[in-house]
Amino acid sequence: MYHLVYVSSATVLFGESDLMALLAQSRGKNAGLGITGMLLYKEGNFMQALEGERGAVLGLMDTIQADPRHHGVIIVEQDESPRRQFGDWSMGFRNLDDPALQTTPGYSPFLNSPFTGEVFTGDEGRCWELLNLFRDTM
Ligand SMILES: Cc1cc2nc3c(=O)[nH]c(=O)nc-3n(C[C@H](O)[C@H](O)[C@H](O)COP(=O)(O)O)c2cc1C
């Protein structure tokens, strides 16, 4: 098992329907590739965790990296892992701009952190804290 976490910035405005279309496309393809993970969206930036067989994860990452809908992709962490963290989701998703999520327990220290390399590079523990927080409330 292999996992990878990156942050990136949208190049186009993603409304709720654009996010849902992206998810529908992703979930279908990920299921076929045996990939699971989590996508978070906040103020025009993405954080995504992908996990699965190494070749599948890296191959999909090449495709995602080339997607013109975002840019500035920064891989925060990638490594072998003993087991899946997001096994229940071909792609879990949270739009953190949703006001209802602002009061999620444990989220307050992240409220003012944009999903940028500046904030998360070299601090993958913080990335995982955030991903797990929303995984555990899905
Ligand atoms: C932020 C972001 C996350 C994405 N996540 C996935 C994903 O998890 N799985 C996926 O198949 N495509 C994902 N995509 C879409 C891919 O870039 C690509 O459009 C899609 O896989 C279709 O590829 P194809 O040309 O091979 O059909 C994502 C795109 C963006 C912008």
Side-chain angles (χ1 to χ4, degrees), residues 24-44:
Q25 176 189 38
S26 300
R27 285 174 173 155
K29 191 166 154 188
N30 291 358
L33 290 170
I35 286 183
T36 51
M38 171 78 111
L39 179 67
L40 302 178
Y41 179 79
K42 182 184 183 184
E43 294 167 346

Side-chain angles (χ1 to χ4, degrees), residues 6 8 22 25-26 29-30 39 46 48 50 60 63-64 67 69-70 91:
Y6 73 84
S8 69
L22 173 63
Q25 176 189 38
S26 300
K29 191 166 154 188
N30 291 358
L39 179 67
F46 294 102
Q48 188 175 33
L50 302 169
L60 177 61
T63 302
I64 293 175
D67 194 313
R69 291 174 287 182
H70 66 167
M91 191 47 61

Side-chain angles (χ1 to χ4, degrees), residues 8-27:
S8 69
S9 302
T11 47
V12 292
L13 197 64
F14 271 85
E16 199 61 26
S17 61
D18 305 304
L19 290 165
M20 289 307 122
L22 173 63
L23 270 179
Q25 176 189 38
S26 300
R27 285 174 173 155

